[in-house]
Amino acid sequence: MDNEDIEGGGEDDFQGQRGRKYRPVVANDRAVLEMSSMDPGSSSSSFPNEPTSLKKVKVSAHHDMGSDAKDGNSTTQARTNGPREESNLELFGFDSLVNILGLKSMTGEQIPQPSSPRDGEDVSITVGQPKNNTLKLGTMMGVFIPCLQNILGIIYYIRFSWIVGMAGIGESLLLVAFCGLCTFLTSISLSAIATNGAMKGGGPYYLIGRALGPEVGVSIGLCFFLGNAVAGSLYVLGAVETFLKAVPAAGIFRETITKVNGTAVPEPIQSPSSHDLQIYGIVVTIVLCFIVFGGVKMINRVAPAFLIPVLFSLFCIFIGVFLARKDHPSVGITGLSLGTFKENWSPDYQDTNNNGIPDPDGDVHWNFNALVGLYFPAVTGIMAGSNRSSSLKDTQQSIPVGTLAATLTTTALYVVSVFLFGALATREKLLTDRLLTATVAWPFPAIIYIGIILSTLGAALQSLTGAPRLLAAIANDDILPILNYFKVADGSEPHIATLFTSFLCICCVVIGNLDLITPTITMFYLLCYAGVNLSCFLLDLLDAPSWRPRWKFHHWSLSLLGASLCIVIMFLISWSFTVVSLALASLIYYYVSIKGKAGDWGDGFKSAYFQLALRSLRSLGASQVHPKNWYPIPLIFCRPWGKLPENVACHPKLADFANCMKKKGRGMSIFFSILDGDYHERAEDAKAACKQLSTYIDYKNCEGVAEIVVAPSMSEGFRGIVQTMGLGNLKPNIVVMRYPEIWRRENLIEIPATFVGIINDCIVANKAVVIVKGLDEWPNEYQRQYGTIDLYWIVRDGGLMLLLSQLLLTKESFESCKIQVFCIAEEDSDAEGLKADVKKFLYDLRMQAEVIVISMKSWDGQVEGGPQQDESLEAFTGAQRRIADYLAEMKAAAEKEGTPLMADGKPVVVNEKQVEKFLYTTLKLNSTILRYSRMAAVVLVSLPPPPVNHPAYFYMEYMDLLVENVSRLLIVRGYRKDVVTLFT
């Protein structure tokens, strides 16, 4: 439904105007959603200057809510602390309306929320929205370029041609494919987790910790921090070695001379002294440390410029490769030759010295496993985008696209380079010329030297910038007290963490051997990648309702394969390094579990505990369930109204509906019924009924249990069930029952009091309520539905209505439907701002829905006869007449007995003008539903709580008018807990 299709009506929407009026949506509006509350006690207000007759409707509102406020804060203060104002939706006054003022509270503004007299506390959809960052990057600058810059590093320039010479073209292709598959599968898992909600700082640590728990997150996060710190030393040594190779005179110590093995004419090969590498490496690290202290803003401005020399140097390398046959830049360069290609196809593993120069007496023996450890750092860097999540405009789009694009681009580059290098030079040249890329570069080698130095220094700068922030993010989570020294305030630079990272980097530089450092980095990176894959595997396997990643191209088997590849590569490289790294992670895990502070991040293990039910109940504890681990546990009222046939234990469609509240059938339902009478007399009847009900549940293939309660009355029986049913966090959280459509037809006068009592009991017991109207027409699993699922989202409900609509879409019968969210707003609210904010909120929740805002106009004007096309008018006048008759009977009985007005055995206070307004509210809502949702597959609407001191009969009239002529309707009321969250 587009804005162009919506036309403005007259002053009164009820007076025959079928159009809807919107203003255009502002594209740059910040989207937030937190339910704000209405004035408590508004349902007891009265309207002055109104006639007292119920024979016609004339309701006016003299005050517009918040119309004099200048901004969101002042408006909310006026609502909260100022005089009580009247609301057009006063029937829902006990709950908080979904309105633009409440939505603005998630932008970071501190807007006080008044508590509800019924609920006792506020409900917010999310808590802890990250602060807005002024620097917002897109996919290219925020993810693709950082990933590309980190992946294309020193290994490609000074080691890749050597790897091709040692492993041959065939095994080099296998090496590239093997390592590339590992990072590709990890990128898919990373994309799935990163698109399952908003991300805070900490990159992969944040993702792993929130999926596998704080212990696993901290242990792998610290290992990943060490890997980043050591990687900084790798880049520094690469830059220094390139500089000394380009300018040999800069060496302080004499260079090492080594003879080439196996050549016809041995040539002296010069390599920089390890002492020169150490001295220059320490100096460069200190200089970079001072640059980092200058601030991240300067680094972010300069970092993209480092990529330009890299790309230009790659261009020069490829041009030089194609021109090598004509130029013959060096001995051993054959140009692109088929003969050279065939000679270099097979591997030729040799012994080398510590610098990689072939030597029959060398201490280092190379094989495929060792080359995996040397080459794998050349494909790392896929986490660079997720590390910048707080600076991205749209993490759910940028991280998957940018990361996978960088991974595929660099893998393709490596594959092409294997063929080109293998056909370019002899094996002796590949093994002895450590800078073959500079030798063949066009027009002169200096371009490659400059490109290598700038790219490696840029990558080192990234490591010295990212690693301290990772350590500060771990410290700020306040899990390990020993890390409190590295805590930083929001927006501050982690200076202490930067000094510590620089110290670690200098220690690794002192080692001075590039080939000994790379396996250490590889282990830490592989451990992190394995953690990401295992996180996605667990979340995908459990498939909780909160698991709704926008990235759909993932499967738990791919994540399991990626994690397995990471472990296999670790053992292929070095089983000793693998054991050491796993032992280090295990020690950190054990230390965190002993000394760390407990925290519930809604991790996947908690979700697994729920599926293990009683066996894991002790692990769950008694605290509030995290929204990510929330599962619907419906309490199904089997026969609340009327009587079923003798051999029918439950309404045949209740089990079908109960299955629609579960994702892929997961979850537990409790089917219960109440037998009237004495427990001692009807105990055997209860056992027989329970057995019959259990048989019915098994027949319907519904995961659930049967319970039969014997009680003197239905109200007492339900009150006992709602207090005692369940164990720990496995207590039912939603009460499901059929709407009592038969109460007036069969003149069951006791139903209104029972119905209202059950709703009030659910409110007191903090249970959500779902009332199904039109249960006889509810589809089974084979009846496919088309059209829309329409949500009339009026009051805050913790996101229950939104989640129910998503659960319906997972069923085959509703999978062809689309969701429409109708927000009923006050006349003076910002409709276009509300629409934009709700759309952005639904986007962050990974929910696809069309948002429509309908303004409920004021009650000014009289309705006498009403629009001829309104089908609800006849029901409205009938309800008006019946209420007037009922009120007259109550007054006559009170006058006869000389007592106050009594109904349902208790005194009541009736404000006739307020009753008029409640009737008119439900009339307006019913007319709106019939106007926009006549062809909907199912309609969901908020359940208004029973007004205080109103007779139950009145409330049933309000509800009857609300559901009139709507064939299939779910009336939903949430509770004081969130069931959805923005965050991953």
Side-chain angles (χ1 to χ4, degrees), residues 8-227:
E11 295 182 356
D12 191 351
D13 184 52
F14 185 76
Q15 303 260 352
Q17 297 295 338
R18 294 286 176 165
R20 282 157 288 172
K21 187 176 181 180
Y22 290 131
R23 290 184 289 272
V25 176
V26 181
N28 296 326
D29 281 353
R30 291 179 298 175
V32 289
L33 188 55
E34 184 174 7
M35 306 302 118
S36 68
S37 56
M38 291 288 298
D39 281 342
S42 58
S43 59
S44 61
S45 61
S46 61
F47 290 78
N49 304 323
E50 294 288 345
T52 59
S53 173
L54 285 171
K55 300 303 179 183
K56 66 179 182 179
V57 176
K58 179 183 178 184
V59 188
S60 63
H62 296 279
H63 302 284
D64 290 330
M65 298 181 64
S67 60
D68 297 331
K70 300 301 181 183
D71 54 62
N73 288 333
S74 59
T75 303
T76 308
Q77 289 287 354
R79 289 191 178 198
T80 307
N81 302 323
R84 175 171 46 80
E85 298 175 341
E86 296 172 355
S87 166
N88 298 337
L89 296 167
E90 191 178 1
L91 178 60
F92 297 87
F94 292 111
D95 294 75
S96 303
L97 290 176
V98 179
N99 54 41
I100 189 65
L101 299 176
L103 297 175
K104 295 301 182 185
S105 62
M106 275 184 54
T107 60
E109 301 171 356
Q110 298 299 323
I111 301 179
Q113 298 289 333
S115 59
S116 167
R118 282 290 181 93
D119 295 343
E121 65 179 80
D122 288 335
V123 178
S124 62
I125 291 295
T126 61
V127 180
Q129 177 78 356
K131 291 188 176 180
N132 293 321
N133 197 330
T134 55
L135 178 62
K136 293 297 181 182
L137 304 175
T139 302
M140 179 64 67
M141 297 301 298
V143 180
F144 180 75
I145 288 180
C147 288
L148 200 66
Q149 187 173 6
N150 279 265
I151 296 174
L152 285 177
I154 187 65
I155 299 295
Y156 178 81
Y157 287 101
I158 69 176
R159 289 293 184 270
F160 194 66
S161 60
W162 183 91
I163 291 175
V164 174
M166 185 68 72
I169 298 175
E171 292 197 10
S172 295
L173 290 174
L174 179 62
L175 177 67
V176 172
F178 187 59
C179 297
L181 179 62
C182 178
T183 55
F184 178 73
L185 294 177
T186 304
S187 299
I188 292 178
S189 299
L190 173 67
S191 301
I193 303 177
T195 58
N196 193 50
M199 286 178 57
K200 294 183 180 180
Y205 154 74
Y206 180 83
L207 298 177
I208 296 172
R210 268 58 181 178
L212 299 181
E215 295 86 359
V216 179
V218 171
S219 57
I220 295 181
L222 288 177
C223 290
F224 190 60
F225 158 74
L226 293 176

Side-chain angles (χ1 to χ4, degrees), residues 432-454:
T432 56
D433 193 345
R434 302 289 293 274
L435 280 170
L436 180 66
T437 53
T439 303
V440 301
W442 177 89
F444 41 80
I447 294 178
I448 303 303
Y449 292 125
I450 295 173
I452 294 175
I453 293 173
L454 289 180

Side-chain angles (χ1 to χ4, degrees), residues 103 159 165 243 324 406 480 494 550 577 590 703 712 778 914 922 963:
L103 297 175
R159 289 293 184 270
F243 172 74
L480 277 182
R550 287 193 172 275
F577 275 101
Y590 180 75
E703 293 183 1
W778 191 264
Q914 192 179 60
T922 54
V963 305

